[in-house]
Amino acid sequence: MKITLTKPVTFDGNEIKEIDLDLEGLTGEDLAQAEREYLAMGGQMTSLTLSISYCQGLAARAANLPIEVTRSMSARDSNAIAMEVQLFLHGMEDQVHGKSA
């Protein structure tokens, strides 16, 4: 899924205008690693799928980007990407995007 950013970000001298989230390519290990990173940053054990920080981490993994990229995005872009991850994890992306299952 390609997501066009409303406000491009620059990372390592490269301007990023869109990211390609490969959510289907995530594995259980990606989920576990994102959880470990989230907790190491001081996150609290809650419903991880509702945590913006956790979903930013998963989005970074799905886009094969450092987490600093998702964290440096505008609030609107970062939230939109986190919401896509949340929808995916809850199996709701097709209903929201009007696709049939």
Side-chain angles (χ1 to χ4, degrees), residues 30-89:
D30 290 317
L31 299 176
Q33 185 62 33
E35 178 183 1
R36 284 190 291 274
E37 291 168 358
Y38 168 74
L39 293 173
M41 293 182 332
Q44 299 296 312
M45 188 53 88
T46 60
S47 176
L48 291 176
T49 59
L50 299 178
S51 165
I52 295 290
S53 294
Y54 177 74
C55 290
Q56 286 172 331
L58 278 181
R61 287 181 167 280
N64 198 28
L65 294 169
I67 194 167
E68 292 82 10
V69 173
T70 56
R71 296 239 166 123
S72 66
M73 291 177 183
S74 71
R76 182 179 300 248
D77 288 333
S78 186
N79 190 56
I81 288 167
M83 285 180 57
E84 288 297 337
V85 171
Q86 290 170 340
L87 291 170
F88 173 78
L89 292 174

Side-chain angles (χ1 to χ4, degrees), residues 3-43:
I3 297 180
T4 302
L5 303 179
T6 60
K7 186 176 180 184
V9 295
T10 301
F11 185 78
D12 279 346
N14 297 315
E15 185 178 55
I16 300 170
K17 296 180 180 180
E18 73 175 14
I19 66 166
D20 186 11
L21 287 179
D22 179 15
L23 297 171
E24 293 290 341
L26 289 172
T27 66
E29 180 57 32
D30 290 317
L31 299 176
Q33 185 62 33
E35 178 183 1
R36 284 190 291 274
E37 291 168 358
Y38 168 74
L39 293 173
M41 293 182 332

